[in-house]
Amino acid sequence: ETGVTQSPTHLIKTRGQQVTLRCSSQSGHNTVSWYQQALGQGPQFIFQYYREEENGRGNFPPRFSGLQFPNYSSELNVNALELDDSALYLCASSLLVRREGRNEQFFGPGTRLTVL
Amino acid sequence: GESVGLHLPTLSVQEGDNSIINCAYSNSASDYFIWYKQESGKGPQFIIDIRSNMDKRQGQRVTVLLNKTVKHLSLQIAATQPGDSAVYFCAEKGDTGFQKLVFGTGTRLLVSP
């Protein structure tokens, strides 16, 4: 186990609703990255938070937003849910010494979101 | 643009055989590569990584080879076991300043007893 936890494990929403997913990073880590994994695909980078600030973003619309808290846990918020948002949402934590560092990312088990 | 692709979507091997999973990447500026294993219902699990200043790195039963000339990455698993059955992803850190990983679509490894 990586020590990265996510909640909830499963979630069902309807189109147009809003959702908040949560991630607790591994002890000692200061960076959380969020990924979306559609069925049968590899994870796609959404964004990363480093020391409570967004540290980079992938090709996702603004209705995908996030937060990182002083204890380095993080939230992913998605507004105006669409059917295509159905996916496994993964968070990964790591320890970066500097903003552009390269380190192992440890993944949590994911939250399975279904949008009806 | 960035893309990471895998040559074979499914690889079937017998227990005890050596497995080789291949991956091609397109971003010549990528400087860090990782192999992940993902079992059903779980998040990706780190296997091994390699930086672009290396061409080979070994772990326990696994070896990663990097050929920057042809932008090719491979994962070798020695004495494959049924517990190795999973989907394997290669991922690269692109040339952005932050640690964005670009994943391929994955290769499913099936190990028969």
Side-chain angles (χ1 to χ4, degrees):
Chain A
E1 299 299 325
T2 63
V4 180
T5 60
Q6 292 186 244
S7 62
T9 55
H10 296 85
L11 199 54
I12 298 175
K13 291 285 189 178
T14 56
R15 193 170 50 184
Q17 285 189 310
Q18 178 267 341
V19 68
T20 297
L21 310 181
R22 295 178 175 82
C23 172
S24 292
S25 58
Q26 185 170 320
S27 177
H29 286 182
N30 58 8
T31 302
V32 172
S33 304
W34 286 92
Y35 293 81
Q36 180 194 67
Q37 186 176 24
L39 198 61
Q41 301 293 320
Q44 299 292 310
F45 178 81
I46 303 175
F47 44 55
Q48 179 181 87
Y49 281 83
Y50 169 68
R51 294 185 175 179
E52 302 180 57
E53 293 185 356
E54 188 176 288
N55 189 36
R57 190 179 183 93
N59 295 325
F60 281 81
R63 59 189 185 84
F64 285 78
S65 63
L67 284 173
Q68 188 178 32
F69 301 99
N71 66 356
Y72 302 123
S73 65
S74 178
E75 285 183 356
L76 165 65
N77 299 291
V78 187
N79 294 322
L81 283 167
E82 300 177 359
L83 298 180
D84 286 348
D85 295 334
S86 295
L88 181 68
Y89 288 85
L90 296 161
C91 80
S93 78
S94 57
L95 175 62
L96 293 184
V97 175
R98 59 185 189 282
R99 187 171 295 273
E100 65 278 7
R102 302 164 299 183
N103 285 88
E104 270 184 59
Q105 292 190 6
F106 295 87
F107 282 83
T111 293
R112 172 71 63 189
L113 173 64
T114 302
V115 182
L116 302 177
Chain B
E2 298 174 339
S3 67
V4 177
L6 298 176
H7 296 303
L8 297 173
T10 303
L11 177 65
S12 296
V13 301
Q14 294 288 118
E15 182 178 359
D17 286 352
N18 296 330
S19 302
I20 300 176
I21 300 173
N22 296 303
C23 175
Y25 64 94
S26 61
N27 188 349
S28 57
S30 291
D31 58 5
Y32 179 56
F33 304 87
I34 311 157
W35 281 100
Y36 284 94
K37 171 186 179 183
Q38 188 173 25
E39 297 174 285
S40 181
K42 297 184 178 180
Q45 175 189 354
F46 174 92
I47 302 173
I48 191 167
D49 61 0
I50 188 167
R51 301 192 189 282
S52 59
N53 61 353
M54 304 172 68
D55 54 20
K56 180 179 180 179
R57 190 161 188 230
Q58 289 184 295
Q60 186 177 13
R61 283 200 307 120
V62 295
T63 300
V64 55
L65 299 177
L66 175 62
N67 185 331
K68 293 181 289 293
T69 302
V70 295
K71 291 185 283 189
H72 184 267
L73 193 68
S74 68
L75 176 70
Q76 301 177 0
I77 304 174
T80 313
Q81 302 168 359
D84 294 327
S85 294
V87 177
Y88 289 79
F89 294 98
C90 65
E92 63 180 310
K93 174 186 175 294
D95 55 357
T96 57
F98 53 92
Q99 192 180 27
K100 167 186 174 181
L101 294 180
V102 177
F103 284 80
T105 53
T107 291
R108 181 173 300 280
L109 177 65
L110 299 175
V111 183
S112 304

